[in-house]
Amino acid sequence: MTHPFLDLAPLSAAHFASIEDRVARLLGTEQDVVIMQGEALLPLEGAIRSTAGPGTTALNVITGPYGQTFGNWLRDCGAEVIDLAVPFHTAVTADQIREAFAEHPEIDFVSLVHAEAATGNTNPVAEIGEIVREHGAIFYLDAVASIGAEPVLPDAWGVDLCVIGAQKAMGGPAGVSAVSVSARAWARMTANPHAPRRSYLSLLDWKDRWIDAGRKTLLHAPAQLEMLALEACVERIESEGLDVLMRRHATAAAATRAGATALGGGLEPYVHEASEAAPVATTLRTPPGVVASELVARALSADPTLPLAAGGGALAKEMIRVNHYGVDATVGAVQSSLAALGAALAEQGVPLDPEGARAAVESAWR
């Protein structure tokens, strides 16, 4: 048996480069963009290991689980790491970043997650970027969850390493990802004797053998189906309009917060301030005595396709995630998710206002 996907002509270097160019336009960047052949953890780890090492002093901002992972990688590289952790129900502030530099002027690397889909918060990257530029540090940003849901502007914000993935708000494949790299970041890598070379993690291999060589010969066989899916995903965004896509996600987030509050029963937004809530996904806190993972399981038993999940780790007891991203950034997905959560809460005899929730969602969507 064969499948038509298996009979496709090989993806040429020129075609691969054209997809990179479209991703660069999506980011509004003139930096080099490298599409790496793996899930976003590949460029996230590769960028840290390429730029950090003994002698690096890194400010690692923790607003969710990925910030914790970045700190582990930085320490493994031999960097001195200063963790700036904030409660998961809020966002880091520019003043906190400024205070960290005042206390540790030796900081030369800053790692930050833009939007934490796992905790539902989003950080003020533009303001933070100004401070990082003032101190001449390398700025590393995980924009995997934010791209497509809110503005991601590496050039305007002074981001040196901006990693994105297509599997969330972009509604694309998870098997390939991209990183934009500034000239400062390339110079930092070149000067780093510990940067991976001849390795799947190596960004310098891509620079030497792909970018500097004129993007004529790929390093290895590309993930063809994933690259074509990424191209189709970017085409769809170009057709809909990036601004329209971002408005759809922002509206889904506002509608979810409004609907959950109107539903009652003790269900409430996990991130306190709407201005600090990520458009890509909304997290909700369960009422006392209600275990989030059990509530989600009951809701999904009625409809397993709903974009609902419990928080990870210890958060599984108190946090629900409504993953209204990509194809689920719709009024229908939000209404169905809240209705299912309401039905699951009602089984426990919790008084609710489902009609009020429905009206709140519809009002927010207008």
Side-chain angles (χ1 to χ4, degrees):
M1 296 289 292
T2 62
H3 190 282
F5 281 151
L6 302 179
D7 299 327
L8 293 172
L11 189 72
S12 69
H15 194 173
F16 191 104
S18 73
I19 299 172
E20 282 186 336
D21 292 341
R22 294 178 85 159
V23 171
R25 288 195 293 274
L26 183 68
L27 289 169
T29 184
E30 295 183 4
Q31 298 178 4
D32 292 324
V33 170
V34 176
I35 298 181
M36 299 189 78
Q37 305 296 279
E39 198 268 341
L41 282 173
L42 174 62
L44 285 169
E45 182 175 358
I48 281 181
R49 295 194 181 278
S50 294
T51 49
T56 298
T57 301
L59 175 63
N60 179 53
V61 181
I62 301 176
T63 57
Y66 281 99
Q68 295 168 333
T69 297
F70 301 158
N72 293 337
W73 286 338
L74 287 160
R75 290 182 178 89
D76 191 51
C77 291
E80 178 184 348
V81 181
I82 300 159
D83 285 327
L84 172 55
V86 302
F88 289 173
H89 65 260
T90 187
V92 72
T93 67
D95 284 344
Q96 288 174 305
I97 301 295
R98 195 180 299 280
E99 290 167 7
F101 272 105
E103 188 174 349
H104 301 279
E106 69 276 18
I107 291 170
D108 61 358
F109 184 98
V110 175
S111 52
L112 176 71
V113 178
H114 187 184
E116 285 270 12
T119 50
N121 52 40
T122 191
N123 292 301
V125 182
E127 298 173 33
I128 292 170
E130 290 183 14
I131 299 166
V132 176
R133 282 198 303 273
E134 289 173 9
H135 292 83
I138 293 291
F139 193 10
Y140 163 101
L141 184 69
D142 172 355
V144 174
S146 53
I147 183 67
E150 56 187 305
V152 177
L153 303 168
D155 292 13
W157 295 344
V159 179
D160 297 289
L161 295 157
C162 182
V163 177
I164 66 169
Q167 70 269 30
K168 288 189 167 63
M170 289 176 64
V176 288
S177 48
V179 54
S180 65
V181 187
S182 72
R184 294 175 68 243
W186 283 131
R188 177 75 167 256
M189 293 180 206
T190 301
N192 181 11
H194 302 280
R197 299 305 301 263
R198 295 170 295 281
S199 164
Y200 209 58
L201 287 171
S202 177
L203 282 168
L204 284 175
D205 286 355
W206 280 98
K207 176 170 173 53
D208 292 347
R209 297 170 54 192
W210 173 243
I211 295 172
D212 292 350
R215 298 196 299 176
K216 295 180 178 177
T217 303
L218 289 161
L219 275 64
H220 44 71
Q224 172 154 305
L225 298 183
E226 288 82 357
M227 288 296 295
L228 294 175
L230 176 61
E231 182 179 42
C233 168
V234 175
E235 287 177 351
R236 187 178 65 247
I237 293 171
E238 291 170 347
S239 176
E240 179 179 6
L242 181 58
D243 288 344
V244 174
L245 178 63
M246 291 190 293
R247 282 199 300 273
R248 186 154 54 84
H249 282 84
T251 302
T256 303
R257 290 177 68 89
T261 301
L263 182 63
L267 200 65
E268 60 184 24
Y270 193 90
V271 178
H272 295 176
E273 300 295 330
S275 61
E276 297 177 344
V280 69
T282 297
T283 48
L284 303 172
R285 189 184 299 274
T286 53
V290 176
V291 177
S293 58
E294 295 175 358
L295 186 67
V296 168
R298 287 197 296 274
L300 291 177
S301 66
D303 185 353
T305 67
L306 293 174
L308 293 172
L315 295 175
K317 294 181 179 180
E318 63 181 19
M319 179 190 286
I320 295 169
R321 289 169 49 192
V322 183
N323 295 318
H324 47 66
Y325 53 71
V327 297
D328 288 317
T330 65
V331 64
V334 173
Q335 292 280 33
S336 297
S337 296
L338 291 177
L341 290 172
L345 279 170
E347 292 177 8
Q348 300 186 6
V350 177
L352 300 164
D353 184 4
E355 290 301 321
R358 186 176 299 107
V361 170
E362 291 177 356
S363 177
W365 213 275
R366 293 194 187 102

